[in-house]
């Protein structure tokens, strides 16, 4: 018998489109804390898009229908901390064993290399969703793995490398991910 309000079965679909969005939200909250407490000025950079087509179904409901990226975005966050330029990206992985270097794009490597060459603070914040852990991966370590992968080496960074060589970011209420406490010890 077909009841009028019969519920349709829900399909279980693996969607990785918003992977890292929670991490970015936590970093945004952290950056708001840093700004309100006069610790640092760090913001998320907007993604540069070119709007091509907009639908206006109603006067107050404009909807972007078609858009494209104008230029590849460099990294997600940048700003100033103790008079130094800071630039980083947030990445997250579902893997239990390694962070795939395919999550980092060549234009991001080039950008972080430029920041590092000018004595800026360049790094990635890597979130391990399986362990609910967050680490800072400094550019010097990232570039070593990147260059090795381009010469036929492994295409990922093992989780054990993070546990043994990287700094774990403490997770708390305020600030949510206090990554500057680690940066502060190293500069």
């Amino acid at each position: 018998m077909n009841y009028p309000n019969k519920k349709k079965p829900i399909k279980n679909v693996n969607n990785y489109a918003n992977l890292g969005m929670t991490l970015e939200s936590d970093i945004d909250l952290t950056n708001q804390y840093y700004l309100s407490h006069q610790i640092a000025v760090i913001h998320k950079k907007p993604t540069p898009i070119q709007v091509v087509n907009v639908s206006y179904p109603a006067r107050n409901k404009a909807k972007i229908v078609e858009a494209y990226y104008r230029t590849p975005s460099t990294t997600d966050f940048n700003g100033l901390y103790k008079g130094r330029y800071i630039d980083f990206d947030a990445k997250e992985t579902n893997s239990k064993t390694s962070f795939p270097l395919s999550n980092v794009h060549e234009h991001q490597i080039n950008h972080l290399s430029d920041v590092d060459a000018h004595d800026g603070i360049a790094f990635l914040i890597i979130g391990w969703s399986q362990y609910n852990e967050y680490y800072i991966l400094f550019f010097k370590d990232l570039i070593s793995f990147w260059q090795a992968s381009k010469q036929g080496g492994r295409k990922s960074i093992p989780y054990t490398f993070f546990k043994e060589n990287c700094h774990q970011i403490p997770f708390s209420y305020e600030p949510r991910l206090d990554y500057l406490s680690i940066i502060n010890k190293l500069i």
Side-chain angles (χ1 to χ4, degrees):
M1 179 174 261
N2 288 329
Y3 292 101
N5 294 331
K6 183 180 175 187
K7 293 184 180 179
K8 295 178 184 176
I10 299 171
K11 291 182 188 177
N12 189 9
V13 177
N14 290 333
N15 183 353
Y16 301 106
N18 290 324
L19 185 64
M21 292 309 287
T22 302
L23 175 57
E24 286 186 9
S25 298
D26 289 338
I27 294 171
D28 274 336
L29 289 172
T30 301
N31 291 341
Q32 289 170 18
Y33 175 88
Y34 290 154
L35 184 62
S36 68
H37 288 79
Q38 296 295 306
I39 296 169
V41 179
I42 301 167
H43 295 286
K44 181 167 181 6
K45 292 189 256 181
T47 304
I49 63 165
Q50 177 69 46
V51 176
V52 177
N53 191 4
V54 179
S55 171
Y56 296 97
R59 187 168 174 82
N60 62 346
K61 295 184 180 182
K63 179 179 173 184
I64 297 173
V65 178
E66 185 179 354
Y68 62 89
Y69 296 110
R70 273 190 267 153
T71 58
S73 181
T74 52
T75 53
D76 290 337
F77 300 92
N78 69 348
L80 289 170
Y81 176 59
K82 292 190 173 184
R84 302 246 334 250
Y85 180 72
I86 189 168
D87 200 306
F88 64 97
D89 203 77
K91 304 286 185 183
E92 198 160 10
T93 182
N94 277 328
S95 173
K96 289 184 177 183
T97 58
S98 63
F99 172 73
L101 288 169
S102 61
N103 288 359
V104 184
H105 304 285
E106 189 158 358
H107 66 273
Q108 292 176 315
I109 293 290
N110 294 337
H111 174 73
L112 290 171
S113 178
D114 290 342
V115 170
D116 186 65
H118 288 278
D119 205 26
I121 304 167
F123 59 94
L124 298 179
I125 292 180
I126 309 293
W128 292 84
S129 58
Q130 295 292 323
Y131 303 113
N132 203 24
E133 295 176 348
Y134 306 91
Y135 292 89
I136 288 183
L137 177 65
F138 285 100
F139 179 72
K140 67 177 181 56
D141 294 322
L142 172 62
I143 196 65
S144 297
F145 280 100
W146 182 268
Q147 289 170 340
S149 77
K150 296 302 175 193
Q151 298 170 351
R154 68 177 294 144
K155 306 285 185 209
S156 62
I157 304 173
Y159 173 69
T160 54
F161 177 84
F162 287 87
K163 290 295 280 182
E164 296 167 4
N165 300 290
C166 296
H167 298 274
Q168 188 172 355
I169 304 169
F171 189 88
S172 62
Y173 179 67
E174 270 193 345
R176 186 74 52 99
L177 285 170
D178 190 12
Y179 61 91
L180 287 183
S181 65
I182 295 165
I183 302 293
N184 201 34
K185 294 174 189 173
L186 303 173
I187 60 170

